[in-house]
Amino acid sequence: MSFTGKYELQSQENFEPFMKALGLPDDQIQKGKDLKSISEIVQDGKKFKITVTTGSKVLQNEFTIGEECEMEMLTGEKVKAVVHMEGNNKLIANLKGLKSVTELNGDTITHTMTMGDLTYKRIGKRI
């Protein structure tokens, strides 16, 4: 299954508490919570390029499955991570105490981030 495509955020759970726990300032959290973000994924075999545009903020990460890479976090901090693929529709990464799981089912993409006992979930639809 190819992840390639554009996905528009449909819903999210626990945005504010999760962003607070990450250390984002309140004004950024308030601005970001109502913006519809668009995620664009380009997959070429094991290579991925993911661009998430939320208002004027653009977060872009590139990685190859199974190889260490540098990822930019929502806070702007850069961390080293290895992304693994489970089955043919799930991407899993551990970044500095945060577990990120992206799962594609048909035209729905679900991105779940877990830090301690706090979970943030985003659901997007292919557009």
Side-chain angles (χ1 to χ4, degrees):
M1 183 181 289
S2 176
F3 280 82
T4 297
K6 278 190 175 185
Y7 304 88
E8 183 177 29
L9 181 67
Q10 299 294 307
S11 65
Q12 54 187 359
E13 298 164 18
N14 279 339
F15 177 79
E16 289 183 67
F18 194 84
M19 295 304 145
K20 266 192 182 18
L22 273 181
L24 249 61
D26 284 345
D27 62 322
Q28 274 188 16
I29 294 171
Q30 291 311 312
K31 266 192 245 165
K33 72 175 181 168
D34 297 321
L35 291 173
K36 284 286 182 211
S37 76
I38 302 281
S39 301
E40 184 173 4
I41 302 175
V42 178
Q43 178 184 357
D44 180 9
K46 290 185 163 200
K47 288 183 191 242
F48 284 78
K49 181 176 175 181
I50 299 179
T51 307
V52 180
T53 307
T54 308
S56 61
K57 181 158 175 52
V58 178
L59 186 69
Q60 188 170 302
N61 284 307
E62 293 185 45
F63 59 88
T64 301
I65 298 296
E67 292 180 16
E68 188 177 70
C69 64
E70 191 173 73
M71 304 274 265
E72 186 178 346
M73 307 235 333
L74 296 165
T75 54
E77 182 183 359
K78 296 200 186 292
V79 296
K80 297 244 182 265
V82 178
V83 181
H84 297 282
M85 188 176 267
E86 199 173 274
N88 65 350
N89 70 328
K90 198 183 275 189
L91 300 172
I92 300 170
N94 288 297
L95 325 147
K96 205 181 157 197
L98 181 143
K99 183 176 182 181
S100 166
V101 178
T102 303
E103 187 169 3
L104 183 63
N105 287 307
D107 286 336
T108 302
I109 197 160
T110 305
H111 185 198
T112 308
M113 288 185 273
T114 309
M115 189 168 53
D117 56 1
L118 195 55
T119 298
Y120 166 50
K121 188 174 188 178
R122 300 164 49 96
I123 298 171
K125 278 264 188 253
R126 194 184 295 260
I127 51 174

